[in-house]
Amino acid sequence: MGAGMTLFAASRAGAGWTQPRVIRFLAVRGIALILLGQVFENLSFTFGFANATRMESYGIRVPGADGTIPSVILGVLYGLGAALLLGSLFIRLRPAALLVIAALLVLVTDWVTPPASQADVRFHPVLRLLLIPGKTGPLLVAYPALAWLPCTLVGLAFGLWLVDDRQRAFRRLALMGGLFAVSFVVLRAAGGFGNLTPPGPGWIGFFNMVKYPPAFTFLLFALGVDFLLLTAIERGRIAERPWLDPLRVFGAVPFFFFVTHLWLYAVIGRFFPAGTTLPAMYLFWLMGLVLLYFPCRWYGAFKRTRPASSLLRML
């Protein structure tokens, strides 16, 4: 998202957009994602689970839960929308400043995240929105804005590098990916700072990190692996291969794909209220991707016919 924001700003600047106009467009898009999430995202989960007769328990406990049903659920689209909204305010900064702010936000998240002993505390709603996931009254937040903003800020920096020099940008990305991966192994093995929970036994325990909110080690691992994979894809020119065309179709309409995939699989799930086997689940997953390819291709072609200022381009 961050890299896309920077590339979008550079593209619109070439079309004559002023920087305030770019920021305003991105901010409005962020607000739109948050509002649309309350309708399309939340209702799809309600519909999908409505007739379920068997709910698996993985020992997951929502912090602050008091037995009441939340009326405002802020999930993936809130996390993305809030990062887009807040990230637009930083789009004028240079890469070094963006990386410093991202690092500080990661440290703040690690510092303010309460221990498991405070799982029953109903923190102020503002803290829920910004830093501490969980439930307070009718509000349930899965992706606090400031806890996930660092990823977007790093993306903004990478986007600026891409605009300046693509080859050097990927050299820097590879260096960061290697540094992040090594730092993850060191910090995770040490089991102290950066770990919201210590590593457990075996390799599964080692990689069983906390995502809600993202632990420092989780971000190091996720971003480090992503950076190395992106570099490999770039250097191997893999993205230009024709067999990846379906992924480009989905990637060109991320919001449309996200919403339609939620509803499609929710509908499929209604036919299996008691669940299904893992092999069958993969079969339905692949079938769903085939079905989604055609509407996503249509919408991508339709969106490209809209003017740059169209609200439909936001979706």
Side-chain angles (χ1 to χ4, degrees), residues 215-275:
F216 189 23
T217 48
F218 175 86
L219 290 179
L220 288 173
F221 173 78
L223 295 179
V225 171
D226 281 351
F227 291 171
L228 293 175
L229 285 175
L230 281 171
T231 303
I233 290 171
E234 169 72 8
R235 291 180 176 175
R237 307 181 71 88
I238 297 174
E240 300 174 8
R241 308 294 171 86
W243 55 272
L244 281 179
D245 284 345
L247 291 184
R248 280 187 283 271
V249 167
F250 294 142
V253 288
F255 174 80
F256 183 84
F257 171 77
F258 179 74
V259 170
T260 52
H261 105 282
L262 285 180
W263 280 96
L264 174 63
Y265 292 121
V267 170
I268 294 175
R270 290 294 291 261
F271 291 96
F272 303 93

Side-chain angles (χ1 to χ4, degrees), residues 65-293:
D66 54 7
T68 61
I69 299 177
S71 57
V72 180
I73 302 174
L74 301 178
V76 174
L77 290 180
Y78 167 74
L80 293 172
L84 187 56
L85 172 61
L86 297 176
S88 66
L89 304 177
F90 295 90
I91 203 166
R92 297 173 175 174
L93 299 183
R94 303 307 303 161
L98 291 167
L99 295 178
V100 169
I101 295 172
L104 291 175
L105 286 174
V106 171
L107 295 176
V108 168
T109 299
D110 194 90
W111 175 57
V112 303
T113 298
S117 60
Q118 297 188 39
D120 293 329
V121 176
R122 287 155 182 75
F123 291 96
H124 193 280
V126 174
L127 284 176
R128 293 289 191 211
L129 291 171
L130 297 179
L131 286 167
I132 304 175
K135 183 177 180 299
T136 297
L139 176 68
L140 173 60
V141 181
Y143 294 89
L146 294 183
W148 288 96
L149 182 58
C151 301
T152 302
L153 297 183
V154 172
L156 286 171
F158 176 57
L160 289 171
W161 292 338
L162 281 174
V163 172
D164 182 54
D165 187 325
R166 185 182 182 91
Q167 291 187 349
R168 186 167 60 181
F170 276 97
R171 287 197 298 269
R172 289 172 171 171
L173 195 71
L175 178 62
M176 288 177 62
L179 178 63
F180 283 15
V182 172
S183 299
F184 156 73
V185 173
V186 172
L187 287 179
R188 189 63 177 156
F193 169 77
N195 294 275
L196 296 179
T197 58
W203 68 270
I204 292 180
F206 187 81
F207 286 99
N208 186 22
M209 296 162 284
V210 175
K211 181 183 176 183
Y212 305 94
F216 189 23
T217 48
F218 175 86
L219 290 179
L220 288 173
F221 173 78
L223 295 179
V225 171
D226 281 351
F227 291 171
L228 293 175
L229 285 175
L230 281 171
T231 303
I233 290 171
E234 169 72 8
R235 291 180 176 175
R237 307 181 71 88
I238 297 174
E240 300 174 8
R241 308 294 171 86
W243 55 272
L244 281 179
D245 284 345
L247 291 184
R248 280 187 283 271
V249 167
F250 294 142
V253 288
F255 174 80
F256 183 84
F257 171 77
F258 179 74
V259 170
T260 52
H261 105 282
L262 285 180
W263 280 96
L264 174 63
Y265 292 121
V267 170
I268 294 175
R270 290 294 291 261
F271 291 96
F272 303 93
T276 185
T277 63
L278 193 61
M281 185 276 295
Y282 278 114
L283 178 62
F284 286 119
W285 169 65
L286 290 171
M287 182 180 70
L289 291 180
V290 173
L291 293 174
L292 289 168
Y293 172 80

